[in-house]
Amino acid sequence: MAITLVMASCSGLEQRPGYIVDQRQVSPSHSSRIRHLVLHYTDGNESRSLTTLTGPRVSAHYVLPLPARRSRGQPLVYQLVDESRRAWHAGVSAWRKRSNINDTSIGIEIVNEGPNRPFGEIERLLETQPSDPNVIHWAPYPDAQMDTLIRLARDIVAHYDIAPSDVVGHSDIAPSRKIDPGPLFPWYRLHQAGIGAWPEAERVADYLTRFSQQPPSLTELQTTLADYGYPIEVTGQLDSQTRHVLRAFQMHFRPKDYRGLPDAETAAIAWALRERYRPDETEIDE
């Protein structure tokens, strides 16, 4: 019987309980469901994080322990959900006009305590004070943990051919609800390792010169952020959703000041990113 099953498998016929599947007719019309890699911090220690992420309400495909550990001489990660399955890590979310990012993503939770203040207090402080590390303290990301993340993320990006601009933080896809992985997350280091997007410094400088003389309108800035992928409605107003998106964008690409206020440098980075990663959306005169 075993010989028969092996022969059937080699011939493109698979025996299943009560029927046979002929796999010799193959269609090229398909693609991976995975389009995004979403990075989070757990906002808690490892024990509490694993308890939450193995419970009934939320999950992630991978968890990076803290402190970073090794097994058999190699960095260790926890896998909680098979990559073929949909983990519950993103919640209400959108990117590039695609919603329900759980459906199209791999989620990695990084054990990290996050900020020293609750979300609501951070919101209030960012509206009234500069983003000063003495006001809001964020837990750092140790090098060993980031080395492990780079190995894991590089493997996922290569396997699913995830575009650099589709490697995002939870705050990028849910800016009104989330602030992780926060302003200390080393996005540029990941980019240098071949993971995620980053603007070209020369183009940022060019746009900064231009916008220092004539800043773009808020409508133009909202449009550019939407073109890049952020879930933002173009209203021409510095409303709550716009400040949240600006805050998420600045945490990702300009973390020295993430108060969610528009300025020439933020606009220059946004235009340079759109030019590099969304060329079809870039205006001809730019």
Side-chain angles (χ1 to χ4, degrees), residues 14 35 55 132 252:
E14 179 186 343
R35 297 172 180 266
D132 185 334
H252 192 142

Side-chain angles (χ1 to χ4, degrees), residues 5-127:
L5 288 177
V6 169
M7 291 178 62
S9 177
C10 292
S11 67
L13 301 174
E14 179 186 343
Q15 176 70 59
R16 295 183 184 174
Y19 63 100
I20 293 174
V21 176
D22 186 338
Q23 299 174 332
R24 293 171 295 185
Q25 311 298 319
V26 179
S27 172
S29 304
H30 60 86
S31 61
S32 169
R33 75 165 185 89
I34 303 300
R35 297 172 180 266
H36 309 96
L37 175 60
V38 183
L39 305 178
H40 311 251
Y41 61 50
T42 60
D43 198 20
N45 63 34
E46 182 175 315
S47 176
R48 181 156 59 94
S49 300
L50 287 173
T51 297
T52 300
L53 291 166
T54 56
R57 298 180 183 277
V58 64
S59 62
H61 295 91
Y62 294 98
V63 176
L64 270 64
L66 183 69
R69 289 194 285 284
R70 301 176 76 85
S71 177
R72 301 176 184 177
Q74 298 292 316
L76 175 72
V77 302
Y78 301 126
Q79 183 169 12
L80 308 186
V81 177
D82 189 88
E83 289 182 7
S84 65
R85 304 289 291 176
R86 179 180 181 272
W88 303 343
H89 60 96
V92 178
S93 53
W95 188 250
R96 295 194 67 190
K97 301 180 181 179
R98 180 186 294 271
S99 59
N100 299 318
I101 302 302
N102 278 338
D103 294 346
T104 57
S105 65
I106 298 292
I108 299 176
E109 290 275 0
I110 304 161
V111 175
N112 179 283
E113 294 280 355
N116 65 336
R117 299 173 183 269
F119 180 81
E121 188 174 348
I122 290 174
E123 292 267 73
R124 179 181 61 79
L125 287 171
L126 292 181
E127 290 183 359

